[in-house]
Amino acid sequence: MPRILVIEDESDIQSLLRFNLEREGHQVTVCGGGGDGLHELRRNPYDLVLLDLMLPDRDGLEVCRVMRADPAMAGVPIIMVTAKGDESDVVLGLGLGADDYVAKPFRIKELMARIKVRLARAVDRGRSGESKRLQFQGLVIDPVRHRVTVDGQVAPLTLTEFRLLHVLAAHAGVAYARYDLLDRIGDGETVVTDRTIDVHVRNLRKKVEPYQRFVETVRGVGYRFSELAEEPTE
Ligand code: CA
């Protein structure tokens, strides 16, 4: 059952959304403000967020920005609900990483159709293996939620550290050169250089203790993920 978080302060719209989403078989949680919404997202996993932009405390654009900067929720699809005709907010929101939007007053059928599309895309990603959950002993990597847990505890990885670990672990046993890793984890915005890879690896290892040895240094080449690595590498 897909879990949907509705962040919306108007009670009429809250009820309308809850009613329709539940009728479609979704599990719905409603938060009346941006701060509450972010708090809820940190506590529980969601498959999609419906985000009103005009909120009494932290506005929707800020919620969007915080979500996309946090590896634990960076992968959760966001559909913005905007005031009619507020194009600049739409442009800003999409730029901040929201996936789609509807303008108020929206037609409920259209909104439901858009939600369906977003959820289906997430499922497709799952089928193609791109978002397959990886587990190595007590180390679990969840690409859909951009979340890593170490013996059940969420590890506070940055987005770059997450990508680095995911690339290596998804191809366990393969040694990657630093420049190759650079290509794979760069997002075109953050500048990552050869030497910063080493810094990221060092920080990553600290955060995934006691499994830091899985991220192995391959002398003269770069790094490799191996569950069989025995000795600490530093
Ligand atoms: Ca509002």
Side-chain angles (χ1 to χ4, degrees), residues 23 50 55 57 59 85 88 97-98 106 110 128 149 159-160 165 168 198 221:
R23 199 175 52 177
L50 269 184
L55 293 165
D57 55 343
D59 76 22
S88 57
F106 52 83
E110 183 192 338
S128 70
T149 54
L159 193 53
T160 304
L165 179 64
L168 289 169
D198 297 338
V221 181

PDB file of all heavy atoms in Angstrom, residues 23 50 55 57 59 85 88 97-98 106 110 128 149 159-160 165 168 198 221:
ATOM      1  N   ARG A  23      -9.511   6.246  -0.908  1.00  0.00           N
ATOM      2  CA  ARG A  23     -10.395   5.474  -1.787  1.00  0.00           C
ATOM      3  C   ARG A  23      -9.590   4.743  -2.868  1.00  0.00           C
ATOM      4  O   ARG A  23      -9.968   3.691  -3.347  1.00  0.00           O
ATOM      5  CB  ARG A  23     -11.414   6.415  -2.434  1.00  0.00           C
ATOM      6  CG  ARG A  23     -12.614   5.684  -2.965  1.00  0.00           C
ATOM      7  CD  ARG A  23     -13.646   6.617  -3.491  1.00  0.00           C
ATOM      8  NE  ARG A  23     -13.075   7.556  -4.450  1.00  0.00           N
ATOM      9  CZ  ARG A  23     -13.779   8.462  -5.108  1.00  0.00           C
ATOM     10  NH1 ARG A  23     -15.074   8.566  -4.892  1.00  0.00           N
ATOM     11  NH2 ARG A  23     -13.209   9.275  -5.966  1.00  0.00           N
ATOM     12  N   LEU A  50       2.641  15.120  -1.277  1.00  0.00           N
ATOM     13  CA  LEU A  50       1.831  16.169  -1.900  1.00  0.00           C
ATOM     14  C   LEU A  50       2.078  17.421  -1.095  1.00  0.00           C
ATOM     15  O   LEU A  50       1.781  17.470   0.103  1.00  0.00           O
ATOM     16  CB  LEU A  50       0.349  15.818  -1.806  1.00  0.00           C
ATOM     17  CG  LEU A  50      -0.272  15.036  -2.937  1.00  0.00           C
ATOM     18  CD1 LEU A  50      -1.763  14.897  -2.688  1.00  0.00           C
ATOM     19  CD2 LEU A  50      -0.030  15.724  -4.272  1.00  0.00           C
ATOM     20  N   LEU A  55       2.282  27.661   3.131  1.00  0.00           N
ATOM     21  CA  LEU A  55       2.078  27.032   4.434  1.00  0.00           C
ATOM     22  C   LEU A  55       2.346  28.075   5.520  1.00  0.00           C
ATOM     23  O   LEU A  55       3.084  29.034   5.300  1.00  0.00           O
ATOM     24  CB  LEU A  55       3.033  25.842   4.595  1.00  0.00           C
ATOM     25  CG  LEU A  55       2.760  24.655   3.661  1.00  0.00           C
ATOM     26  CD1 LEU A  55       3.945  23.710   3.625  1.00  0.00           C
ATOM     27  CD2 LEU A  55       1.502  23.917   4.108  1.00  0.00           C
ATOM     28  N   ASP A  57       4.049  27.980   8.355  1.00  0.00           N
ATOM     29  CA  ASP A  57       5.375  28.106   8.971  1.00  0.00           C
ATOM     30  C   ASP A  57       6.482  28.081   7.919  1.00  0.00           C
ATOM     31  O   ASP A  57       6.834  29.089   7.347  1.00  0.00           O
ATOM     32  CB  ASP A  57       5.570  27.058  10.066  1.00  0.00           C
ATOM     33  CG  ASP A  57       5.335  25.634   9.557  1.00  0.00           C
ATOM     34  OD1 ASP A  57       4.724  25.480   8.490  1.00  0.00           O
ATOM     35  OD2 ASP A  57       5.763  24.685  10.235  1.00  0.00           O
ATOM     36  N   ASP A  59       7.574  27.415   4.307  1.00  0.00           N
ATOM     37  CA  ASP A  59       6.795  27.264   3.075  1.00  0.00           C
ATOM     38  C   ASP A  59       7.257  26.050   2.265  1.00  0.00           C
ATOM     39  O   ASP A  59       8.298  25.451   2.544  1.00  0.00           O
ATOM     40  CB  ASP A  59       6.758  28.557   2.254  1.00  0.00           C
ATOM     41  CG  ASP A  59       8.040  28.836   1.493  1.00  0.00           C
ATOM     42  OD1 ASP A  59       8.812  27.895   1.235  1.00  0.00           O
ATOM     43  OD2 ASP A  59       8.271  30.004   1.153  1.00  0.00           O
ATOM     44  N   GLY A  85      -1.968  30.386 -11.042  1.00  0.00           N
ATOM     45  CA  GLY A  85      -1.238  31.414 -11.769  1.00  0.00           C
ATOM     46  C   GLY A  85       0.114  31.805 -11.184  1.00  0.00           C
ATOM     47  O   GLY A  85       0.734  32.759 -11.631  1.00  0.00           O
ATOM     48  N   SER A  88       6.053  31.617 -11.063  1.00  0.00           N
ATOM     49  CA  SER A  88       7.429  31.709 -10.577  1.00  0.00           C
ATOM     50  C   SER A  88       7.682  30.650  -9.497  1.00  0.00           C
ATOM     51  O   SER A  88       8.774  30.084  -9.429  1.00  0.00           O
ATOM     52  CB  SER A  88       7.727  33.100 -10.035  1.00  0.00           C
ATOM     53  OG  SER A  88       6.816  33.412  -9.007  1.00  0.00           O
ATOM     54  N   GLY A  97      13.829  20.557  -7.393  1.00  0.00           N
ATOM     55  CA  GLY A  97      13.767  19.095  -7.411  1.00  0.00           C
ATOM     56  C   GLY A  97      12.385  18.498  -7.246  1.00  0.00           C
ATOM     57  O   GLY A  97      12.247  17.278  -7.145  1.00  0.00           O
ATOM     58  N   ALA A  98      11.332  19.339  -7.228  1.00  0.00           N
ATOM     59  CA  ALA A  98       9.977  18.774  -7.214  1.00  0.00           C
ATOM     60  C   ALA A  98       9.750  18.077  -8.557  1.00  0.00           C
ATOM     61  O   ALA A  98      10.366  18.432  -9.564  1.00  0.00           O
ATOM     62  CB  ALA A  98       8.936  19.863  -7.008  1.00  0.00           C
ATOM     63  N   PHE A 106      -7.533  22.529  -8.228  1.00  0.00           N
ATOM     64  CA  PHE A 106      -7.207  21.415  -9.121  1.00  0.00           C
ATOM     65  C   PHE A 106      -8.404  20.488  -9.269  1.00  0.00           C
ATOM     66  O   PHE A 106      -9.308  20.485  -8.441  1.00  0.00           O
ATOM     67  CB  PHE A 106      -6.009  20.635  -8.578  1.00  0.00           C
ATOM     68  CG  PHE A 106      -6.169  20.209  -7.145  1.00  0.00           C
ATOM     69  CD1 PHE A 106      -6.865  19.070  -6.811  1.00  0.00           C
ATOM     70  CD2 PHE A 106      -5.608  20.980  -6.125  1.00  0.00           C
ATOM     71  CE1 PHE A 106      -7.016  18.693  -5.497  1.00  0.00           C
ATOM     72  CE2 PHE A 106      -5.757  20.598  -4.801  1.00  0.00           C
ATOM     73  CZ  PHE A 106      -6.462  19.453  -4.479  1.00  0.00           C
ATOM     74  N   GLU A 110      -7.472  14.732 -12.098  1.00  0.00           N
ATOM     75  CA  GLU A 110      -6.171  15.020 -12.709  1.00  0.00           C
ATOM     76  C   GLU A 110      -5.058  14.767 -11.690  1.00  0.00           C
ATOM     77  O   GLU A 110      -4.025  14.161 -12.004  1.00  0.00           O
ATOM     78  CB  GLU A 110      -6.122  16.476 -13.182  1.00  0.00           C
ATOM     79  CG  GLU A 110      -4.816  16.781 -13.895  1.00  0.00           C
ATOM     80  CD  GLU A 110      -4.592  18.269 -14.120  1.00  0.00           C
ATOM     81  OE1 GLU A 110      -5.575  19.023 -14.111  1.00  0.00           O
ATOM     82  OE2 GLU A 110      -3.421  18.652 -14.301  1.00  0.00           O
ATOM     83  N   SER A 128      13.715  -2.319 -12.836  1.00  0.00           N
ATOM     84  CA  SER A 128      14.941  -2.289 -13.638  1.00  0.00           C
ATOM     85  C   SER A 128      16.166  -2.534 -12.761  1.00  0.00           C
ATOM     86  O   SER A 128      17.274  -2.625 -13.255  1.00  0.00           O
ATOM     87  CB  SER A 128      15.079  -0.949 -14.357  1.00  0.00           C
ATOM     88  OG  SER A 128      15.359   0.068 -13.423  1.00  0.00           O
ATOM     89  N   THR A 149      21.310   2.005   6.389  1.00  0.00           N
ATOM     90  CA  THR A 149      21.234   1.690   7.810  1.00  0.00           C
ATOM     91  C   THR A 149      22.353   0.738   8.187  1.00  0.00           C
ATOM     92  O   THR A 149      22.766  -0.118   7.400  1.00  0.00           O
ATOM     93  CB  THR A 149      19.879   1.063   8.208  1.00  0.00           C
ATOM     94  OG1 THR A 149      19.635  -0.072   7.386  1.00  0.00           O
ATOM     95  CG2 THR A 149      18.731   2.051   8.041  1.00  0.00           C
ATOM     96  N   LEU A 159      24.791  13.145   0.384  1.00  0.00           N
ATOM     97  CA  LEU A 159      24.362  12.599  -0.897  1.00  0.00           C
ATOM     98  C   LEU A 159      25.555  12.005  -1.656  1.00  0.00           C
ATOM     99  O   LEU A 159      25.459  10.934  -2.257  1.00  0.00           O
ATOM    100  CB  LEU A 159      23.686  13.702  -1.718  1.00  0.00           C
ATOM    101  CG  LEU A 159      22.910  13.246  -2.944  1.00  0.00           C
ATOM    102  CD1 LEU A 159      21.897  12.177  -2.594  1.00  0.00           C
ATOM    103  CD2 LEU A 159      22.196  14.430  -3.577  1.00  0.00           C
ATOM    104  N   THR A 160      26.689  12.689  -1.628  1.00  0.00           N
ATOM    105  CA  THR A 160      27.877  12.197  -2.326  1.00  0.00           C
ATOM    106  C   THR A 160      28.364  10.879  -1.718  1.00  0.00           C
ATOM    107  O   THR A 160      28.696   9.937  -2.441  1.00  0.00           O
ATOM    108  CB  THR A 160      29.006  13.249  -2.278  1.00  0.00           C
ATOM    109  OG1 THR A 160      28.500  14.465  -2.820  1.00  0.00           O
ATOM    110  CG2 THR A 160      30.211  12.809  -3.077  1.00  0.00           C
ATOM    111  N   LEU A 165      28.952   4.990  -2.054  1.00  0.00           N
ATOM    112  CA  LEU A 165      28.716   3.660  -1.484  1.00  0.00           C
ATOM    113  C   LEU A 165      27.820   2.830  -2.402  1.00  0.00           C
ATOM    114  O   LEU A 165      28.063   1.644  -2.634  1.00  0.00           O
ATOM    115  CB  LEU A 165      28.080   3.788  -0.094  1.00  0.00           C
ATOM    116  CG  LEU A 165      27.762   2.462   0.610  1.00  0.00           C
ATOM    117  CD1 LEU A 165      29.044   1.678   0.889  1.00  0.00           C
ATOM    118  CD2 LEU A 165      26.994   2.704   1.910  1.00  0.00           C
ATOM    119  N   LEU A 168      29.706   1.554  -5.556  1.00  0.00           N
ATOM    120  CA  LEU A 168      30.648   0.481  -5.217  1.00  0.00           C
ATOM    121  C   LEU A 168      29.900  -0.805  -4.840  1.00  0.00           C
ATOM    122  O   LEU A 168      30.226  -1.890  -5.324  1.00  0.00           O
ATOM    123  CB  LEU A 168      31.546   0.918  -4.055  1.00  0.00           C
ATOM    124  CG  LEU A 168      32.591   1.994  -4.386  1.00  0.00           C
ATOM    125  CD1 LEU A 168      33.235   2.526  -3.117  1.00  0.00           C
ATOM    126  CD2 LEU A 168      33.652   1.437  -5.330  1.00  0.00           C
ATOM    127  N   ASP A 198      39.002  10.624  -1.864  1.00  0.00           N
ATOM    128  CA  ASP A 198      39.621   9.988  -0.692  1.00  0.00           C
ATOM    129  C   ASP A 198      39.008  10.510   0.605  1.00  0.00           C
ATOM    130  O   ASP A 198      38.799   9.756   1.543  1.00  0.00           O
ATOM    131  CB  ASP A 198      41.132  10.229  -0.699  1.00  0.00           C
ATOM    132  CG  ASP A 198      41.802   9.593  -1.917  1.00  0.00           C
ATOM    133  OD1 ASP A 198      41.204   8.656  -2.485  1.00  0.00           O
ATOM    134  OD2 ASP A 198      42.899  10.035  -2.299  1.00  0.00           O
ATOM    135  N   VAL A 221      44.968   1.602  -7.810  1.00  0.00           N
ATOM    136  CA  VAL A 221      43.761   1.679  -8.643  1.00  0.00           C
ATOM    137  C   VAL A 221      42.750   2.649  -8.035  1.00  0.00           C
ATOM    138  O   VAL A 221      42.533   3.749  -8.547  1.00  0.00           O
ATOM    139  CB  VAL A 221      43.099   0.286  -8.821  1.00  0.00           C
ATOM    140  CG1 VAL A 221      41.876   0.398  -9.718  1.00  0.00           C
ATOM    141  CG2 VAL A 221      44.097  -0.721  -9.377  1.00  0.00           C
TER     142      VAL A 221
END
